[in-house]
Amino acid sequence: MPLLQFNIPPLPYFIVSGLAELAPGSKHPARRSIGVFDLLVVVEGCLYVGEEGRHYEIKEGHSLILRPDAYHYPTMACTEVTRYYWIHFHTSGEWSAADETGGADMKDKSAEPPLFLPFYSITPFSIRVPQFTELLQPDKLYATMQELTQMNQSIHLPSVRLRQQALFQDVIQQLSDTLTTEAPSPQTACAERAAAFLRAHYQEEITSKALGEFMNFHPVYIARCMQKVFGCSPAAYLLRYRIARAKLLLLQTDLSVTRISEEVGFNHPAYFTSSFVKQEGLSPRKFRQHFS
């Protein structure tokens, strides 16, 4: 399955939308490198479109995203009345395309996979959208597209443009959701469950044996799963999460460094300080002073 991956921030942004109708015998126009993404959502009938050697039959309840840097063209004329919504959108951020089997090549290698939501920092993430897909809830997406298009009459108003951007993000989310209908792999499920346990019990002393007993898996298998999914061992995940919680307390409270180390699960303040320095490049005290 062809996939499009958008690195965020910034979010892809809405430009304009519309509702088109083609009579039998009509074709979607051929265009080359139009500079924006073109999302097509068929409400009735079928569109026959090709892009860079791939041919698509976009039936009712299906969508296709045409790339801004590619050549797309009709492969045949419509055989019936065909109605479809279209959205032009784009992004000023990085994006990539690949087959689902080439997912590893789509990762943003310049950014470390986020282990958790950090505090007081911007962490880039990515969202994958199928280039061609069957919609999970066609009527819901149709309603959103209709509202977007109707609002074009008042697009000169800032409040309307803001509302359109919000609605467009819902469109992107609905398309992305079509990729999550399958259950996660056993390794992913194991890693995510282990991460949730570590986050919930980070203030406690956690051993690999305790984690294994909770998960009912051997600690080596758990470590292998977390390494594959999060790129680190359970111990490294826990340490980094504790440091992140400590940073929040350093910024939001007047608790002493020793007390904070205890609050986030460190038994020895000296180990907390050395771990903090190793990860952040400065001591907890200097980190706090930097923002004072």
Coordinates of all heavy atoms in Angstrom, one line a residue, residues 7 23 27 42 45 62 70 84 112 116 130 154 157 167 174 177 185 190 192 215 250 263 266 271 278 291:
N7 N 6.0 14.7 8.6 CA 6.7 15.0 9.9 C 6.1 16.3 10.5 O 5.9 17.3 9.8 CB 8.2 15.2 9.7 CG 8.9 13.9 9.3 OD1 8.3 12.8 9.5 ND2 10.0 14.0 8.6
A23 N -19.9 13.9 -15.8 CA -20.8 13.1 -16.6 C -20.2 11.9 -17.2 O -18.9 11.8 -17.3 CB -21.4 14.0 -17.7
K27 N -13.5 12.8 -17.9 CA -12.3 12.3 -17.3 C -11.7 13.3 -16.3 O -11.9 14.5 -16.5 CB -11.2 12.0 -18.3 CG -11.6 11.0 -19.4 CD -10.4 10.8 -20.3 CE -10.7 9.7 -21.4 NZ -9.6 9.5 -22.4
V42 N -14.5 10.1 -3.3 CA -15.6 9.9 -4.2 C -16.9 9.5 -3.4 O -16.9 8.7 -2.5 CB -15.3 8.7 -5.2 CG1 -16.5 8.3 -6.0 CG2 -14.2 9.1 -6.1
G45 N -20.3 7.0 -7.9 CA -19.6 6.7 -9.2 C -18.2 6.2 -8.9 O -17.9 5.6 -7.9
H62 N -14.2 5.7 -1.2 CA -12.7 5.5 -1.3 C -12.1 6.9 -1.5 O -12.8 7.9 -1.9 CB -12.3 4.6 -2.4 CG -12.6 3.2 -2.2 ND1 -13.9 2.7 -2.1 CD2 -11.8 2.1 -1.9 CE1 -13.9 1.4 -1.9 NE2 -12.6 1.0 -1.8
A70 N 4.3 14.7 -8.6 CA 4.1 13.6 -9.6 C 3.2 14.0 -10.7 O 2.5 15.0 -10.7 CB 3.6 12.4 -8.8
Y84 N -17.5 13.8 -6.6 CA -16.4 13.7 -5.6 C -16.0 15.0 -5.0 O -16.1 16.1 -5.6 CB -15.2 13.0 -6.3 CG -14.5 13.8 -7.4 CD1 -13.4 14.7 -7.1 CD2 -15.0 13.8 -8.7 CE1 -12.9 15.4 -8.1 CE2 -14.4 14.5 -9.7 CZ -13.4 15.3 -9.4 OH -12.8 16.1 -10.4
E112 N 15.0 11.5 17.0 CA 15.0 10.2 17.8 C 13.5 9.9 18.1 O 12.7 10.8 18.5 CB 15.7 10.5 19.1 CG 15.8 9.3 20.0 CD 16.6 9.5 21.2 OE1 17.8 9.7 21.1 OE2 16.1 9.6 22.3
F116 N 8.2 9.3 25.1 CA 7.0 9.8 25.9 C 6.9 11.3 25.6 O 7.9 11.9 25.0 CB 7.2 9.6 27.4 CG 8.6 9.9 27.8 CD1 9.0 11.3 28.1 CD2 9.5 8.9 28.0 CE1 10.3 11.5 28.4 CE2 10.8 9.2 28.4 CZ 11.2 10.5 28.6
P130 N -2.6 6.7 4.3 CA -2.6 5.9 3.1 C -2.9 6.8 1.9 O -3.8 7.6 1.9 CB -3.8 4.9 3.3 CG -4.7 5.6 4.2 CD -3.8 6.5 5.1
S154 N -17.0 32.1 3.0 CA -16.6 33.1 4.0 C -15.1 33.0 4.4 O -14.7 33.3 5.5 CB -17.4 32.9 5.3 OG -18.8 33.0 5.0
L157 N -12.8 35.5 6.2 CA -12.8 35.8 7.6 C -11.8 34.9 8.3 O -11.8 33.7 8.1 CB -14.2 35.5 8.2 CG -15.4 36.3 7.5 CD1 -16.7 35.8 8.1 CD2 -15.2 37.8 7.8
L167 N -11.0 21.6 10.9 CA -11.7 20.5 10.3 C -10.8 19.6 9.4 O -11.0 18.4 9.3 CB -12.9 21.1 9.4 CG -14.1 21.6 10.2 CD1 -15.0 22.3 9.2 CD2 -14.8 20.5 10.9
Q174 N -9.0 11.0 10.1 CA -9.9 9.9 9.7 C -9.2 9.1 8.6 O -9.3 7.9 8.6 CB -11.1 10.5 9.1 CG -12.1 11.2 10.1 CD -13.4 11.6 9.5 OE1 -14.1 10.8 8.8 NE2 -13.8 12.8 9.7
D177 N -6.6 6.9 10.4 CA -7.3 5.9 11.2 C -7.5 4.6 10.4 O -7.6 3.5 11.0 CB -8.6 6.3 11.8 CG -8.4 7.3 12.9 OD1 -7.3 7.4 13.5 OD2 -9.4 8.0 13.3
S185 N 1.3 -5.8 16.3 CA 2.0 -7.1 16.4 C 2.3 -7.5 17.8 O 2.2 -6.6 18.7 CB 3.4 -6.9 15.7 OG 4.2 -6.0 16.4
C190 N 3.6 -5.9 23.4 CA 4.4 -6.2 24.5 C 5.1 -4.9 25.0 O 5.1 -4.6 26.1 CB 5.4 -7.3 24.3 SG 6.5 -7.7 25.6
E192 N 4.5 -1.8 24.2 CA 3.6 -0.7 24.7 C 3.0 -1.0 26.1 O 2.9 -0.1 26.9 CB 2.5 -0.5 23.7 CG 2.9 0.1 22.4 CD 1.8 0.2 21.3 OE1 0.7 -0.4 21.6 OE2 2.1 0.9 20.3
M215 N 4.2 -8.8 33.3 CA 3.9 -9.0 31.9 C 3.7 -10.5 31.5 O 3.2 -10.9 30.5 CB 5.1 -8.5 31.0 CG 5.3 -7.0 31.1 SD 4.1 -6.1 30.2 CE 4.4 -6.6 28.6
L250 N 11.4 20.4 38.7 CA 12.4 21.5 38.9 C 11.8 22.8 38.4 O 12.2 23.9 38.9 CB 13.7 21.1 38.1 CG 14.5 20.1 38.7 CD1 15.6 19.6 37.7 CD2 15.3 20.6 40.0
E263 N 11.2 11.8 44.7 CA 9.8 11.8 44.1 C 9.7 11.1 42.8 O 8.7 10.5 42.4 CB 9.4 13.3 43.9 CG 9.0 14.0 45.2 CD 7.7 13.5 45.8 OE1 6.8 13.2 45.0 OE2 7.6 13.4 47.0
F266 N 14.4 7.8 42.4 CA 15.9 7.6 42.6 C 16.1 7.3 44.1 O 15.7 8.1 45.0 CB 16.7 8.7 42.1 CG 16.8 8.8 40.6 CD1 15.9 9.5 39.9 CD2 17.8 8.2 40.0 CE1 16.0 9.6 38.5 CE2 18.0 8.3 38.6 CZ 17.0 9.0 37.9
Y271 N 23.3 9.6 42.4 CA 23.0 8.9 41.1 C 22.0 9.7 40.2 O 22.1 9.8 39.0 CB 22.5 7.5 41.4 CG 22.1 6.7 40.1 CD1 23.1 6.5 39.1 CD2 20.8 6.2 39.9 CE1 22.7 5.8 38.0 CE2 20.5 5.5 38.8 CZ 21.5 5.3 37.8 OH 21.1 4.6 36.7
K278 N 24.3 13.5 32.6 CA 24.6 12.6 31.5 C 23.5 12.8 30.4 O 23.9 12.9 29.2 CB 24.7 11.2 31.8 CG 25.1 10.2 30.7 CD 25.2 8.8 31.2 CE 25.6 7.9 30.0 NZ 25.8 6.5 30.5
F291 N 16.3 28.6 34.1 CA 14.9 29.1 33.9 C 14.4 30.0 35.0 O 13.3 30.4 34.9 CB 14.0 27.9 33.7 CG 14.3 27.1 32.5 CD1 15.0 25.9 32.6 CD2 13.8 27.5 31.2 CE1 15.3 25.1 31.5 CE2 14.1 26.7 30.1 CZ 14.8 25.5 30.3

